[in-house]
Amino acid sequence: MCGTCGCGDDEHITYRKPGQGHSGHHHNHEHTHHHGIMEHSHVHIHEHAHDGHHHHAEDDNAHAHAFHADGYDHHHNHEHDHGHGHSHGEEGHTHTIQLERNILSKNDLIAERNRGFFDALDVLALNLVSSPGSGKTSILEQTIREIGASLQAVVIEGDQQTMNDAERIKSAGAPVIQVNTGNGCHLDALMVSKAAKALELKQHSTLFIENVGNLVCPSLFDLGEAKRVVIISVTEGDDKPAKYPTMFASAQLCLINKIDLLPYVDFDVEKAKKCALKVNPGLEFISLSAKTGEGMNDWYGWVKQLKKS
Amino acid sequence: MHELSLAMNIVEIVTEEADKIGRCAVKRIDLEIGSHSGVVMEALTFAMDEAIKGTPLAEAKINYHWVEAVAACQECCQEFKPTEFDHICPHCNSMQTYLIHGKELKVKSVELKEL
């Protein structure tokens, strides 16, 4: 089982460009460790095959250990990748280790690496999140057609299945890679790292990451983006920010899409904004319609402003 | 769904520590989960029960420490308990508030017994 996204089988995660067959990818989770765990209970019974130290290059976080040895606790800080300084000879010796380690520390570390990679290339990376059907892909298509060339837009498409969105983006005129997560409900930093490499990102480009349509799970996973953009459409409830506060709390911009439909629906734009501001007073809003083009210039202006800074 | 990812991450973090000791069993794990972390506790405990099977954590006692959110107001400097969907200061109605606690998603400590 995949330890990063929890999907049934990480072999199901594919990275494909339009026109490319299934062969163009390797499965990309660093699962050597996890599978090692599964074998580990057996390994304990026989010889300990591991060196007992670090399996991952990312393990260099300093942390504090407190050992209950000789009747007293002594604390010291040390790096993950050097050995423990106590004897292993004593049968039944108990170690209490104060880890204080973030559960998502691996993802966060890879996300920071992505951020550094993007920064070095002067690439602006935006993470687009929303429920399914809010119009993420339509907004991207329109953006690419109108200002894609000047932004040097490139796209990572995240969906559980199909190449549909990648085909749409390709038709609009931007390089794209489709990440199919299988059963996974969100993109994670490692997927973005692999996808960004496969895209062969060029300097000064703008990377739009269209996350899996889901207002819950993607909120926890930093991808290394500069800004997170949450999209809602007026065909949804205007209380959506209250229902899914974690996502709205973690975004910097909220696009309210499909405003051409406002005369036909009960969506109250001001109420939606107010709901979102309650959890994120710094959130910016742009109302637009990818279909009619209304408000799209405000969105383009927001992106261009970020490009300059 | 993402609770299963979190559970797998917990197993990985703890197993790494166990590997450093060598032959050992994980006796206890203390987790800290904030009320504003985006985690459903029932989903996490269910996922953990599955994720630890066949690992050195299989027999571990897992303590889940739920951390209620505490926010502070930048205007009036008072602390308050925010709901998940409303972080407005109840004292002065300011929106300029921030969370002090509630975002925790942490492996706090582990107890390992050498075999």
Side-chain angles (χ1 to χ4, degrees), chain A residues 1 3-6 33-34 37 40-41 44 48 52 55-56 59 63 80 84 87-88 90-104 106 183 185-186 217 220 242 245 277-279 281, chain B residues 1-2 4-6 8-13 15-17 19-24 28 33 37-39 53-56 84-88 95-96 103 105-115:
Chain A
M1 179 162 38
T4 305
C5 67
H33 185 102
H34 173 59
I37 296 169
H40 211 153
S41 54
H44 270 301
H48 199 292
H55 295 250
H56 292 265
D59 279 346
H63 66 198
H80 259 286
H84 293 261
S87 161
H88 284 246
E90 195 181 329
E91 212 23 51
H93 193 99
T94 302
H95 304 256
T96 301
I97 303 171
Q98 304 295 334
L99 270 176
E100 299 288 347
R101 189 152 162 204
N102 191 324
I103 292 167
L104 288 171
K106 280 225 160 66
N183 295 323
C185 49
H186 56 266
C217 311
L220 271 72
L277 287 170
K278 281 184 181 177
V279 290
Chain B
M1 177 70 183
H2 62 287
L4 186 54
S5 332
L6 299 179
M8 302 301 284
N9 275 290
I10 294 165
V11 170
E12 194 169 326
I13 288 168
T15 307
E16 260 172 36
E17 289 305 313
D19 282 351
K20 290 175 189 169
I21 303 285
R23 288 165 54 87
C24 66
R28 179 176 55 77
I33 309 296
S37 65
V39 166
K53 284 179 184 167
T55 77
E84 255 194 278
F85 50 86
D86 188 349
H87 297 182
I88 294 177
M95 284 182 162
Q96 302 305 319
K103 299 291 278 184
L105 265 185
K106 215 188 266 179
V107 181
K108 214 170 155 43
S109 65
V110 295
E111 191 179 302
L112 306 169
K113 191 177 171 65
E114 283 181 32
L115 298 174

Side-chain angles (χ1 to χ4, degrees), chain A residues 259-276:
Chain A
I259 55 167
D260 51 305
L261 295 177
L262 273 176
Y264 313 106
V265 294
D266 294 329
F267 191 92
D268 181 339
V269 174
E270 289 312 309
K271 185 182 163 194
K273 287 183 182 177
K274 212 171 153 187
C275 271

